[in-house]
């Protein structure tokens, strides 16, 4: 029996990778967040350090600006520039005129190259604080307690420095991130490889079980985990049970084969015995019939004639039983063959019913024959006419045996759907004379029987004649059914298919 195909779906490795994906996304997001934070910190640190440098340098320039000593001013600026990361330093007076400039490039056209970041600080002249013993100066000098701006210091920082710091931050973040990802992938691959290897071993073990290899396999305790080891142990137990079941099945098959051979031998011996006995019994019975015919020609009394007729009929019945036994033996040996010849089905049914009409009238019965359906004028079909007559004769003989008064009815219907085949549906019914209950106990062993008005079905047994009817109908591709109506009347139905000859 073929099983429905199922889609394999997503592989286990892909499912595990998808399960790890949220953690990887979270790691990337966190790395991006911390990297952006470090970039912002580097920008802020550069701005704070540059501004602090300007604020620290501005007080040192107070004397040079106030005194107008440009040489000292440029010397201080040059030394400060050498120890800083500034691109250039410029000092202007209170009106904005340049009084000092130093830079890595002396060309004034390079001062704005690259849009440098400029940080400024005011140069203040701080007041001189006098002690209490210096009041003698108060009459000549006027001191103020506030600071006086005497100039401005500008510190230019190239954006290249910020870019270099940011690149360092990016490269360091990328290096750490890639290293962490590689370490994580190696760690995950190590554990997943162990799991997949264990699963692959389980799959191979199942394939071995399917191929009939029930040998116990060692349990892998490393790499797969307790669950895999538990499954391997259960598979070993399953293999043990399957091995025991196979041994038991082989023993059962061996016993069954022996029993089958014995049954076939017994059946063959029985069939040979029946065939031999049938042939041996026919010869003396033919002699008995011949002697009965000779005695029948002598002048006898009426009572003697009745006795002689009873003996003749009993002998003919015994010949029929012997013929049925021979047919049974041929069926069981597989030597029974059906003829395939053309005949008129309607004439066959009419002649068979006519041959039993006299016997029915002698028992006080009325035998009726009805053809139903659209019968053609000549119902020419191909089949075994002798066996069809034997089936109908067996059913009529059964009705004559169990019916003491009333009627026997034969209804035959014809149906043809495609013009190439026809189906005969024939029903033999009788009044039964209250013997239907007894007949239900003596019907066919494989024939279906139903009670009219109920849904009950039962299996019943029969004598040799009805068994022959069933076997012949089944050999010809038909079906037999027996119905009764609460133990009164009996209905024997059989359907037979025939091939049309094309000349009807």
């Amino acid at each position: 029996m073929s099983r429905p195909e199922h889609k394999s779906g997503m592989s286990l490795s892909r499912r595990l990778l998808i399960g790890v994906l949220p953690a990887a996304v979270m790691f990337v997001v966190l790395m991006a967040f911390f990297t952006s934070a470090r970039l912002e910190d580097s920008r802020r640190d550069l701005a704070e350090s540059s501004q602090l440098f300007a604020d620290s340098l501005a007080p040192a320039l107070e004397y040079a600006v106030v005194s107008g000593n440009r040489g000292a001013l440029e010397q201080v600026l040059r030394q400060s520039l050498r120890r800083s990361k500034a691109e250039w330093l410029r000092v202007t007076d209170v009106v904005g005129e340049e009084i000092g400039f130093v830079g890595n490039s002396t060309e004034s056209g390079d001062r704005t190259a690259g849009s440098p970041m400029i940080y400024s600080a005011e140069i203040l002249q701080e007041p001189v604080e006098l002690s209490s013993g210096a009041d003698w100066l108060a009459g000549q000098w006027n001191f103020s307690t506030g600071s006086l701006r005497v100039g401005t210091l500008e510190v230019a920082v190239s954006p290249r420095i910020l870019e270099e710091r940011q690149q360092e931050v990016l490269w360091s973040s990328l290096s750490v991130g890639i290293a962490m990802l590689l370490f994580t992938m190696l760690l995950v691959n190590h554990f997943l490889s162990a799991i997949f290897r264990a699963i692959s071993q389980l799959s191979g073990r199942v394939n071995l079980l399917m191929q009939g290899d029930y040998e116990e396999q060692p349990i892998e305790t490393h790499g797969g985990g307790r669950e895999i080891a538990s499954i391997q142990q259960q598979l070993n137990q399953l293999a043990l049970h399957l091995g025991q079941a196979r041994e038991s099945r082989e023993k059962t098959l061996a016993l069954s084969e022996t029993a089958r051979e014995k049954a076939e031998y017994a059946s063959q011996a029985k069939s040979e015995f029946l065939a031999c006995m049938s042939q041996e019994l026919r010869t003396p019975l033919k002699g008995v019939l011949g002697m009965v015919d000779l005695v029948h020609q002598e002048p006898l009394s009426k009572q003697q004639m009745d006795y002689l007729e009873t003996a003749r009929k009993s002998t003919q019945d015994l010949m029929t039983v012997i013929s049925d036994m021979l047919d049974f033996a041929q069926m069981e040996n597989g030597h029974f063959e059906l003829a395939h010849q053309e005949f008129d089905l309607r004439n066959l049914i009419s002649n068979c019913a006519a041959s039993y009409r006299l016997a029915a009238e002698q028992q006080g019965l009325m035998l009726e024959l009805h053809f139903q359906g659209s019968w053609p004028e000549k119902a020419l079909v191909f089949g075994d006419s002798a066996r069809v007559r034997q089936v109908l004769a067996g059913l009529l003989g059964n009705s004559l045996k169990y019916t003491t008064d009333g009627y026997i009815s034969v209804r035959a219907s014809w149906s043809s759907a495609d013009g190439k085949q026809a189906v005969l549906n024939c029903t033999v019914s009788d009044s039964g004379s209250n013997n239907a209950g007894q007949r239900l106990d003596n019907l066919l062993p494989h024939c279906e029987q139903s009670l009219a008005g109920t849904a009950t079905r039962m299996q019943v047994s029969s004598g040799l004649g009805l068994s022959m009817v069933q076997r012949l109908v089944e050999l010809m591709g038909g079906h037999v059914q027996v119905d009764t109506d609460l133990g009164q009347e009996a209905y024997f139905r059989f359907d037979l298919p025939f091939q049309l000859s094309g000349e009807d």
Side-chain angles (χ1 to χ4, degrees), residues 177-226:
I178 292 174
M180 291 297 296
L181 284 177
L182 289 176
F183 175 75
T184 303
M185 290 177 63
L186 290 175
L187 192 63
V188 171
N189 182 66
H190 172 72
F191 288 105
L192 289 184
S193 298
I195 294 175
F196 292 152
R197 184 168 56 252
I199 293 177
S200 178
Q201 292 177 355
L202 291 178
S203 177
R205 180 69 174 122
V206 173
N207 288 331
L208 290 177
L209 291 177
M210 295 175 62
Q211 295 173 4
D213 185 1
Y214 302 140
E215 294 294 333
E216 185 176 358
Q217 300 292 331
I219 298 177
E220 187 70 26
T221 57
H222 301 286
R226 292 191 302 269

Side-chain angles (χ1 to χ4, degrees), residues 231-283:
I231 295 176
Q232 290 177 343
Q233 184 177 3
Q234 293 174 0
L235 287 177
N236 283 336
Q237 294 176 357
L238 177 61
L240 178 61
H241 290 308
L242 290 176
Q244 294 175 352
R246 180 172 63 181
E247 293 178 358
S248 177
R249 179 175 61 86
E250 290 176 353
K251 292 180 181 179
T252 304
L253 289 177
L255 294 176
S256 300
E257 183 67 19
T258 303
R260 185 185 64 82
E261 292 176 356
K262 291 181 179 180
E264 290 180 352
Y265 177 77
S267 177
Q268 183 178 2
K270 180 187 69 175
S271 300
E272 293 176 355
F273 172 77
L274 289 177
C276 182
M277 289 300 298
S278 298
Q279 295 292 347
E280 294 295 332
L281 290 174
R282 283 187 177 185
T283 301

Side-chain angles (χ1 to χ4, degrees), residues 196-370:
F196 292 152
R197 184 168 56 252
I199 293 177
S200 178
Q201 292 177 355
L202 291 178
S203 177
R205 180 69 174 122
V206 173
N207 288 331
L208 290 177
L209 291 177
M210 295 175 62
Q211 295 173 4
D213 185 1
Y214 302 140
E215 294 294 333
E216 185 176 358
Q217 300 292 331
I219 298 177
E220 187 70 26
T221 57
H222 301 286
R226 292 191 302 269
E227 293 80 3
I228 300 297
S230 177
I231 295 176
Q232 290 177 343
Q233 184 177 3
Q234 293 174 0
L235 287 177
N236 283 336
Q237 294 176 357
L238 177 61
L240 178 61
H241 290 308
L242 290 176
Q244 294 175 352
R246 180 172 63 181
E247 293 178 358
S248 177
R249 179 175 61 86
E250 290 176 353
K251 292 180 181 179
T252 304
L253 289 177
L255 294 176
S256 300
E257 183 67 19
T258 303
R260 185 185 64 82
E261 292 176 356
K262 291 181 179 180
E264 290 180 352
Y265 177 77
S267 177
Q268 183 178 2
K270 180 187 69 175
S271 300
E272 293 176 355
F273 172 77
L274 289 177
C276 182
M277 289 300 298
S278 298
Q279 295 292 347
E280 294 295 332
L281 290 174
R282 283 187 177 185
T283 301
L285 286 178
K286 289 181 180 179
V288 171
L289 286 176
M291 293 299 101
V292 169
D293 290 337
L294 291 177
V295 174
H296 192 274
Q297 297 175 2
E298 300 292 333
L300 301 172
S301 64
K302 184 177 181 181
Q303 187 176 8
Q304 290 175 338
M305 290 293 293
D306 292 338
Y307 292 160
L308 190 61
E309 186 65 26
T310 302
R312 178 188 180 87
K313 185 175 181 181
S314 298
T315 305
Q316 290 177 345
D317 292 340
L318 185 57
M319 286 287 292
T320 302
V321 171
I322 293 173
S323 299
D324 292 340
M325 290 172 60
L326 183 59
D327 290 339
F328 258 120
Q330 292 177 350
M331 290 179 185
E332 293 186 358
N333 286 331
H335 302 310
F336 189 85
E337 295 182 358
L338 294 173
H340 188 73
Q341 59 186 7
E342 186 183 43
F343 66 96
D344 191 332
L345 182 60
R346 181 164 183 168
N347 286 340
L348 185 146
I349 296 174
S350 299
N351 294 335
C352 184
S355 63
Y356 279 87
R357 183 170 286 110
L358 178 59
E361 291 177 353
Q362 290 178 350
Q363 294 183 205
L365 302 176
M366 180 177 61
L367 194 152
E368 302 174 343
L369 175 61
H370 303 280

Side-chain angles (χ1 to χ4, degrees), residues 130 134-143:
L130 299 178
D135 292 340
W136 57 274
L137 294 174
Q140 186 177 357
W141 302 94
N142 184 16
F143 294 96

Side-chain angles (χ1 to χ4, degrees), residues 409-451:
S409 175
V410 179
R411 299 181 182 273
S413 62
W414 165 285
S415 60
S416 177
D418 54 2
K420 296 181 180 180
Q421 288 186 343
V423 177
L424 168 66
N425 180 274
C426 186
T427 302
V428 178
S429 60
D430 55 70
S431 57
S433 184
N434 298 329
N435 289 325
Q438 179 183 357
R439 296 169 67 183
L440 289 178
D441 297 331
N442 297 297
L443 295 179
L444 315 183
H446 304 290
C447 182
E448 295 179 352
Q449 178 265 335
S450 67
L451 296 178

